[in-house]
Amino acid sequence: YDKNGFSINDARLSQTYTNNSQTIEGCDSVTNLHLNVFQINNVVINDFIYEDDMHYNGYGFDLDSAGTFVRNDIDSNGCTYSLTLNLTKKESLHIYLPSAFTPLGNNNHEFCIYSDQESLRVKDFNIFNRWGEKVYESNDISKCWDGKYKGSLCKEGTYVYRLLYYDKDNPEKMFEKTGVISLVH
């Protein structure tokens, strides 16, 4: 720091410095400098990017690949800090929903969500009839639709499903899967 009559080369602690001097008229003058020394913060963030998406937008980064990325910035106090982002690839969430099922059959008698990912979480799973009426809803991946609505077996035909899901490690990023299912008697 070299201003206002102060020349400080080794300021490691926040403290007050005093400079005694005389004005050009010969009067005594005391100048106090309250110097705040802020430590440079080094922030390290570990996050992931999904293999099938390969786009990351967060913490001021907009990236299309995994790796280690460093950004130097200035905070609201005017202090410099370094942000390191360690971005790794994570296997995409795999989901399978069949295209048909037979509620009265011995096999394939329920419409279920299948996934090999333990981290998959269902936010909302809805099934609609051809008139847009919701005939089933759940947020539990282990529950399956048995083809019934209000206790009665639904008519044979085509139904539409909408699944909203996320990875438990990244609940802010929602995925959507839609499709049709044939209910066959």
Side-chain angles (χ1 to χ4, degrees):
Y1 183 87
D2 196 10
K3 279 186 175 178
N4 303 325
F6 291 92
S7 183
I8 302 167
N9 295 325
D10 191 21
R12 294 186 185 166
L13 300 172
S14 297
Q15 60 188 14
T16 301
Y17 295 88
T18 302
N19 186 5
N20 296 317
S21 61
Q22 288 189 341
T23 65
I24 54 173
E25 292 88 20
C27 299
D28 288 335
S29 174
V30 176
T31 306
N32 289 319
L33 171 67
H34 301 287
L35 184 62
N36 290 319
V37 178
F38 294 100
Q39 181 180 354
I40 295 177
N41 294 318
N42 295 314
V43 179
V44 177
I45 298 169
N46 297 310
D47 212 342
F48 58 88
I49 188 170
Y50 293 105
E51 285 178 338
D52 65 344
D53 186 13
M54 291 305 287
H55 185 79
Y56 182 87
N57 191 337
Y59 303 102
F61 291 96
D62 191 8
L63 305 167
D64 293 324
S65 64
T68 299
F69 306 91
V70 178
R71 188 182 86 229
N72 294 313
D73 212 341
I74 298 174
D75 68 14
S76 60
N77 293 320
C79 299
T80 303
Y81 70 93
S82 172
L83 179 66
T84 301
L85 173 65
N86 296 314
L87 193 60
T88 57
K89 269 196 248 184
K90 183 173 183 175
E91 185 178 344
S92 300
L93 298 173
H94 299 122
I95 294 180
Y96 170 73
L97 290 113
S99 58
F101 79 113
T102 55
L104 299 176
N106 291 331
N107 294 324
N108 195 25
H109 61 279
E110 292 180 314
F111 181 60
C112 301
I113 302 168
Y114 298 98
S115 175
D116 60 355
Q117 306 294 311
E118 291 181 17
S119 64
L120 179 99
R121 298 294 180 260
V122 173
K123 179 180 185 330
D124 207 16
F125 181 45
N126 296 304
I127 300 174
F128 304 91
N129 65 19
R130 69 174 67 196
W131 299 278
E133 182 180 15
K134 189 187 308 178
V135 297
Y136 179 79
E137 77 177 316
S138 178
N139 63 358
D140 185 346
I141 193 168
S142 67
K143 299 217 185 241
C144 302
W145 182 42
D146 61 2
K148 293 180 181 174
Y149 177 58
K150 294 184 179 179
S152 298
L153 188 61
C154 291
K155 292 182 181 180
E156 187 173 57
T158 302
Y159 294 79
V160 175
Y161 65 83
R162 178 176 183 245
L163 172 63
L164 291 175
Y165 63 97
Y166 60 94
D167 186 321
K168 75 173 180 180
D169 296 330
N170 188 7
E172 296 85 33
K173 185 165 183 169
M174 199 67 54
F175 297 93
E176 178 181 37
K177 186 172 184 81
T178 58
V180 294
I181 178 80
S182 295
L183 187 153
V184 181
H185 288 233

